[in-house]
Amino acid sequence: MKILASYILYFSQLAVTLNKLRFVSEMKILASYILHFTQLAVTLQSKIANQRNIMTLYPKLILDALATVTYPGTKKNLVDSEMVADNLRIDGMNVSFSLIFPRDTDPFMKSTLKAAEAAIHYRVSKDVRVTIDTEFKSAKRPEVGKLLPNVKNVIAVSSGKGGVGKSTVSANLAIALARLGYKVGLLDADIFGPSMPKMFDVEGERPCAVEKDGRSLIVPIEKYGVKMLSLGFFVNPETAILWRGGMASNALKQLIADADWGDLDYFILDTPPGTSDIHLTLLQTLAITGAVIVSTPQKVALADAVKGIDMYRNDKVNVPILGLVENMAWFTPEELPDNKYYIFGKDGCKNLAKEMGCPLLAQIPLVQSICESGDKGVPAAMTQSMTGLAFINLAQSVVTVVNRRNKEQAPTKIVDVKNHE
């Protein structure tokens, strides 16, 4: 700029001299030079001013901003949580780096990324162009369709309405299959009313985690030869679960995909009553081998059982109905084992099975010991009682129909979200 100013001064003095000597043509040429150098000086001056206004970014400035963002998972800031990777790059006003999360399904990931970018804009400059990538400490969860590769059969136990003993049937079916020598897993998918910890007398248990294939996996609680997980292990049993459908579905997916289920012959799903988001989540996550529908003989329960059957037979779902279980088929006093009192009606499920073209897998009597054994955490299938034998027979029937289904029908396909919508 100093050199340029000296040129302008020189040409101005020369112009004065030429003007005195009356060199008109030379004056015009010189004037154009003066104008050009003046404009160049203004441009350079403007650029210099802009350069002075541009902030110089450096790593500590960025890290100090990130240190104001708290990660909910640790209750510490991003720097103290060691979540900022060693790849911070600064190029002028462009900043790029990675944040390291525990896993790719981290529920706080999106909100944390937004908060980090906002902190840089607020603490440093709104003109900073921020690019944040993500890294994960554990390996990514397998894609849908590749979950539970060592599970041979997935059985959904469902009911059209609550109160028909679906969870009792699920627990006893799982135990009976285990007693027959099969490797069995049981998922308490009744998210809003988890009862399996009580029925297995493991309410005080808390699943631990194990590192396997680069992932941190939940280890199912094992009792009576059955591997079992339930949301009841992770919440206060006296506290109501007030979750929206999305939260419940995500929790269910974690119990399925982020657990070490290992090799299983049968994976029993104790589904919630009715038809809901949870059922859709299961259908969109797992290829369900078939469904077992539980109902009492009364017409009110049977009407809802029809809806449950229709859900699985829907042309966009196509999950085979393995059969119906008539629970509380009759009441038998233990002191009068040969007596049957049909207090909820007679053969309701049996007749519905014929009507719907489904096998009747079992008729389970209503006996006081079933209730007592469930409350004590020793399900009836563990006993040598009449009801224990009924559940063993149910398990044998399920094995038979599953083998026939696998032989005669193609594997079930996972419900496609887009097609379903």
Side-chain angles (χ1 to χ4, degrees):
M1 277 295 297
K2 290 182 179 180
I3 296 175
L4 192 61
S6 64
Y7 272 113
I8 295 174
L9 178 61
Y10 170 75
F11 283 120
S12 298
Q13 291 173 344
L14 182 59
V16 172
T17 304
L18 291 174
N19 186 46
K20 290 179 179 179
L21 297 175
R22 305 288 182 177
F23 292 109
V24 178
S25 59
E26 288 80 356
M27 272 289 299
K28 290 181 179 180
I29 296 173
L30 192 60
S32 66
Y33 276 112
I34 294 173
L35 178 61
H36 172 72
F37 281 114
T38 302
Q39 291 174 338
L40 182 59
V42 172
T43 301
L44 289 175
Q45 187 67 36
S46 177
K47 287 185 177 181
I48 292 171
N50 289 338
Q51 287 288 340
R52 288 174 179 171
N53 290 332
I54 292 177
M55 175 179 287
T56 300
L57 301 182
Y58 50 92
K60 188 177 184 304
L61 200 61
I62 304 301
L63 292 175
D64 287 346
L66 295 177
T68 65
V69 180
T70 300
Y71 173 62
T74 60
K75 302 294 191 298
K76 299 178 181 179
N77 67 60
L78 297 180
V79 177
D80 290 344
S81 298
E82 298 181 349
M83 294 180 63
V84 184
D86 295 330
N87 61 352
L88 178 60
R89 297 288 182 272
I90 298 175
D91 181 13
M93 294 299 283
N94 297 310
V95 173
S96 65
F97 58 91
S98 297
L99 290 182
I100 306 171
F101 291 89
R103 58 186 182 276
D104 63 317
T105 56
D106 194 308
F108 308 117
M109 183 160 54
K110 288 185 179 180
S111 59
T112 302
L113 292 173
K114 289 181 180 179
E117 183 176 358
I120 293 173
H121 286 157
Y122 179 74
R123 301 278 177 177
V124 182
S125 170
K126 64 180 180 179
D127 297 323
V128 179
R129 291 175 289 277
V130 183
T131 301
I132 308 177
D133 294 322
T134 53
E135 297 179 11
F136 308 103
K137 291 182 180 179
S138 62
K140 286 190 176 182
R141 174 189 290 175
E143 298 177 359
V144 171
K146 297 181 180 179
L147 300 174
L148 308 183
N150 299 319
V151 174
K152 295 178 182 178
N153 300 290
V154 181
I155 310 298
V157 180
S158 299
S159 65
K161 69 186 297 97
V164 300
K166 168 190 55 61
S167 293
T168 298
V169 171
S170 297
N172 283 282
L173 172 59
I175 292 172
L177 286 168
R179 289 190 63 189
L180 292 176
Y182 295 101
K183 296 177 182 178
V184 183
L186 173 61
L187 175 64
D188 189 355
D190 195 346
I191 293 292
F192 300 104
S195 55
M196 290 303 165
K198 177 71 174 178
M199 299 182 73
F200 278 72
D201 192 27
V202 288
E203 287 181 288
E205 300 285 344
R206 292 295 178 267
C208 60
V210 62
E211 291 294 326
K212 193 171 184 179
D213 298 327
R215 300 177 64 210
S216 180
L217 300 178
I218 305 169
V219 179
I221 300 298
E222 188 166 351
K223 193 168 185 180
Y224 306 131
V226 176
K227 294 180 179 179
M228 188 258 294
L229 278 180
S230 168
L231 189 64
F233 290 129
F234 307 97
V235 297
N236 187 328
E238 298 178 357
T239 302
I241 300 174
L242 302 175
W243 287 356
R244 294 186 182 275
M247 292 179 64
S249 295
N250 287 334
L252 183 61
K253 288 179 182 178
Q254 188 169 358
L255 293 180
I256 295 171
D258 297 335
D260 185 18
W261 289 105
D263 296 331
L264 296 177
D265 296 309
Y266 292 94
F267 187 38
I268 309 298
L269 309 176
D270 179 34
T271 67
T275 55
S276 66
D277 285 351
I278 299 301
H279 296 83
L280 187 57
T281 297
L282 291 170
L283 292 166
Q284 293 173 342
T285 305
L286 295 171
I288 298 176
T289 307
V292 172
I293 308 297
V294 180
S295 180
T296 56
Q298 65 195 108
K299 292 182 179 179
V300 172
L302 294 172
D304 290 325
V306 171
K307 297 176 184 176
I309 294 172
D310 179 71
M311 175 185 69
Y312 288 110
R313 283 183 169 176
N314 184 289
D315 59 359
K316 294 181 180 178
V317 176
N318 286 322
V319 171
I321 302 297
L322 299 176
L324 276 65
V325 175
E326 186 175 79
N327 197 29
M328 310 180 204
W330 59 77
F331 170 65
T332 295
E334 288 198 40
E335 63 275 12
L336 300 170
D338 295 329
N339 290 21
K340 296 180 179 180
Y341 301 94
Y342 298 93
I343 57 179
F344 293 120
K346 185 178 181 180
D347 292 339
C349 258
K350 183 177 181 179
N351 296 329
L352 179 62
K354 290 180 180 178
E355 181 183 337
M356 304 298 290
C358 304
L360 179 67
L361 299 174
Q363 290 179 300
I364 309 297
L366 175 60
V367 181
Q368 185 175 352
S369 61
I370 295 181
C371 173
E372 293 175 348
S373 62
D375 288 344
K376 292 178 181 178
V378 185
M382 288 299 298
T383 69
Q384 301 299 324
S385 63
M386 173 180 60
T387 51
L389 180 60
F391 285 118
I392 291 294
N393 291 336
L394 168 61
Q396 291 172 332
S397 297
V398 168
V399 171
T400 300
V401 296
V402 167
N403 288 340
R404 183 189 307 131
R405 173 255 181 274
N406 290 339
K407 183 178 180 180
E408 298 176 355
Q409 295 178 263
T412 305
K413 294 182 179 180
I414 294 174
V415 174
D416 184 76
V417 180
K418 295 180 180 179
N419 289 341
H420 188 82
E421 294 175 347

